[in-house]
């Protein structure tokens, strides 16, 4: 049996209803804050992530799905036209009757010589921000002023699979980005994003979430902090895990990502970024907190929370949920005022976040019952020739926004009842010859057992529970 690849999974009904519930709540909430959807490709050039996420991160150094792609370059030069012709001819040649004659040879010789390979390194996206910022630069979205963008979709990281951690997982991502003159640098934007997230989690009925908040300062603050960290790590790093020993040399800030329990007491003694913030960063952080207090969004300051790349600046945050266990972060985000420039674009301060949709759905499981919609009615044709009449009725009811499941005339009454119960329908509607002639149908409530005869025109109303019983 061929199975789904390790770290990937099928999302099956009825759970997919929860995913749809989340996505439609996201669209509703984000719309209220004037966010608009952007859809970027699932693969990009590897260089984008190397520069946009950072070579030193676990994501780029160990987790990306990267391959050399033989594909043509985007430009349609003579080489690419030649390559196109060659592929057309090869496809065509495969259908020729002479093909069997080629058997035994390793491969038919190409009909047109191959142009020199223009391999390109491509990567399945491990996160969405880099792609969005690339699109922002490529399409000069800064000309529009402030951009509020969101997207949803699969991301790919070669991590060790476990509960809540997959190799194909889904993120809901949003970014506010634009020229500083459009207000993209303002702490009001940070607070707006955080308040929107709190609203979303509340709307989804997620109780007990925590907002962890920090400021990682600006590159200058971090240079001083990194220096202090390096010094503090020197005498203790030998007692730490291999990853930390590497991080201490390459990017000491990342030591704070360490989850190894034995390292935690050492990490507790290290200096914190909060001691190194300059005046501007301190003020920005204070302003974000002040707005959050004013709008009544609770938070906890966590000066261990860092996003360690040079272009990450100021606000960094995570929302966690206790019920999720070890993988307790539902979402993470922060400011990246230098990212556009790091990717060769214009200055474009921004702030964004990525929600792990798999984990969001996991923390929703309690509300599952109320979200999963069962059929309102199961329409059961009774007797040969009744499928058409049943289809007519089902069509009428579906057009009145009811959820309708439809049986088959070959089913005996008992089998129709069993199918209706299995589908979880509230009512069963019997469509026999006599009912069709009278244009009134037997409607049985499968919960109470009550059965009534209802004229065709009143069916939808009755099924919705608003009609009078006869
Ligand atoms: P990050 O881009 O690493 O900040 O991740 C943002 C969010 O995506 C995290 O808070 C998780 O909820 C989710 N996430 C990250 N990696 C995975 C994964 N491998 N499987 C499932 N969810 C993930």
């Amino acid at each position: 049996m061929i199975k789904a690849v390790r770290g990937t999974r099928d999302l099956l009904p009825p759970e997919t209803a929860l995913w749809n519930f989340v996505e439609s709540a996201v669209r509703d909430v984000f719309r209220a804050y004037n966010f608009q959807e952007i859809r970027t490709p699932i693969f990009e050039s590897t260089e984008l992530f190397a520069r946009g996420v950072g070579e030193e991160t676990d994501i780029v150094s160990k987790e990306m799905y990267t391959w050399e792609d033989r594909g043509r370059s985007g430009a349609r030069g003579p080489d690419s036209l030649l390559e196109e012709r060659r592929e057309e001819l090869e496809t065509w040649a495969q259908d020729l009757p002479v093909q069997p004659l080629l058997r035994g040879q390793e491969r038919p010789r190409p009909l047109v010589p191959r142009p020199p390979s223009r391999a390109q390194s491509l990567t399945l996206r491990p996160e969405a921000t880099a792609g969005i910022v690339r699109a922002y630069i490529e399409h000069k979205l800064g000309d529009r002023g402030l951009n509020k963008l969101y997207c949803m979709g699969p991301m790919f990281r070669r991590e060790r699979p476990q509960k809540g951690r997959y190799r194909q997982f889904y993120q809901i991502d949003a970014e506010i980005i634009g020229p500083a003159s459009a207000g993209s640098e303002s702490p009001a934007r940070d607070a707006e994003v955080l308040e929107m997230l709190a609203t979303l989690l509340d709307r989804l009925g997620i109780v007990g979430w925590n907002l962890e908040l920090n400021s990682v300062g600006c590159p200058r603050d971090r240079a001083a902090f990194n220096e202090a960290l390096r010094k503090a790590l020197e005498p203790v790093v030998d007692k730490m895990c291999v990853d930390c020993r590497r991080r201490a040399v390459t990017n000491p800030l990342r030591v704070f990502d360490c989850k190894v329990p034995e390292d935690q007491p050492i990490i507790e003694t290290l200096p914190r970024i909060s001691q190194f913030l300059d005046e501007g960063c301190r003020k920005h952080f204070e302003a974000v907190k002040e707005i959050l207090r004013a709008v009544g969004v609770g938070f906890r300051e966590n000066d261990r929370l860092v996003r360690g790349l040079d272009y990450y600046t100021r606000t960094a945050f995570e929302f966690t949920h206790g019920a999720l266990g070890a993988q307790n972060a539902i979402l993470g985000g922060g400011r990246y005022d230098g990212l556009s420039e790091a990717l060769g674009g214009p200055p474009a301060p921004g702030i964004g976040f990525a929600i792990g949709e798999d984990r969001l759905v996991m923390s929703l499981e309690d509300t599952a019952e109320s979200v999963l919609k069962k059929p309102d009615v199961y329409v059961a044709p009774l007797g040969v020739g009744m499928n058409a009449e049943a289809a007519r009725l089902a069509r009428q009811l579906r057009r009145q926004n009811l959820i309708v499941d439809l049986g088959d005339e070959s089913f005996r009454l008992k089998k129709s009842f069993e199918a209706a119960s299995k589908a979880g329908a509230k009512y069963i509607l019997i469509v026999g010859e006599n009912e069709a002639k009278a244009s009134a149908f037997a409607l049985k409530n499968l919960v109470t057992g009550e059965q009534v005869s209802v004229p065709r025109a009143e069916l939808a109303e009755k099924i919705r529970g608003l009609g009078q019983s006869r």
Side-chain angles (χ1 to χ4, degrees), residues 5 15 63 110 115 145 148 150-151 156 161 170 182 201 215 223 230 245 313 332 371 404 417 432 450:
V5 174
E15 201 199 330
E63 297 169 0
K148 291 171 140 180
Y150 76 91
C151 76
F156 305 85
Y170 295 81
L201 297 182
S215 172
R230 241 183 263 275
R245 266 178 263 161
T313 45
V371 171
V404 179
F417 268 88
E450 180 203 24

Side-chain angles (χ1 to χ4, degrees), residues 250-425:
T250 54
N251 191 351
L253 209 64
R254 297 253 64 89
V255 165
F256 289 101
D257 288 343
C258 176
K259 296 264 164 25
V260 175
E262 294 77 32
D263 287 3
Q264 301 311 308
I266 301 176
I267 294 170
E268 278 306 311
T269 65
L270 297 174
R272 298 302 157 94
I273 183 77
S274 50
Q275 302 151 3
F276 293 82
L277 298 185
D278 68 16
E279 174 80 4
C281 293
R282 212 181 293 276
K283 276 199 176 139
H284 185 99
F285 195 31
E286 283 310 317
V288 175
K289 290 188 281 186
E290 188 186 324
I291 303 175
L292 288 180
R293 285 189 205 103
V295 294
V297 172
F299 60 88
R300 195 174 76 85
E301 281 184 59
N302 174 359
D303 60 6
R304 270 192 61 163
L305 185 71
V306 287
R307 311 206 127 221
L309 307 176
D310 287 348
Y311 34 78
Y312 282 124
T313 45
R314 301 186 165 174
T315 313
F317 58 86
E318 241 174 45
F319 281 71
T320 57
H321 194 267
L324 287 174
Q327 303 299 320
N328 69 352
I330 310 178
L331 67 94
R335 221 170 225 292
Y336 46 82
D337 290 348
L339 179 54
S340 171
E341 285 149 294
L343 293 176
I351 179 161
F353 60 80
I355 306 176
E357 195 175 353
D358 305 73
R359 295 189 197 166
L360 194 60
V361 169
M362 271 165 68
S363 53
L364 264 185
E365 234 97 284
D366 288 347
T367 38
E369 265 313 300
S370 59
V371 171
L372 304 179
K373 288 217 172 103
K374 300 276 172 61
D376 296 301
V377 60
Y378 183 95
V379 176
L382 187 65
V384 180
M386 295 316 294
N387 267 350
E389 180 62 23
R392 217 154 71 88
L393 268 173
R395 179 170 158 94
Q396 172 196 325
L397 297 174
R398 285 167 175 156
R399 288 187 166 210
Q400 294 178 76
N401 289 329
L402 289 168
I403 306 176
V404 179
D405 211 350
L406 183 56
D408 188 81
E409 62 185 29
S410 69
F411 291 2
R412 288 170 186 275
L413 197 56
K414 183 163 176 274
K415 185 164 174 185
S416 290
F417 268 88
E418 281 166 7
S421 306
K422 206 166 175 184

Side-chain angles (χ1 to χ4, degrees), residues 157 159 164-166 169 171 307 329-332 354-356 359:
R157 295 182 196 171
E159 292 191 273
R165 191 155 81 190
Y166 309 98
F169 60 100
Q171 283 188 342
R307 311 206 127 221
I330 310 178
L331 67 94
I355 306 176
R359 295 189 197 166

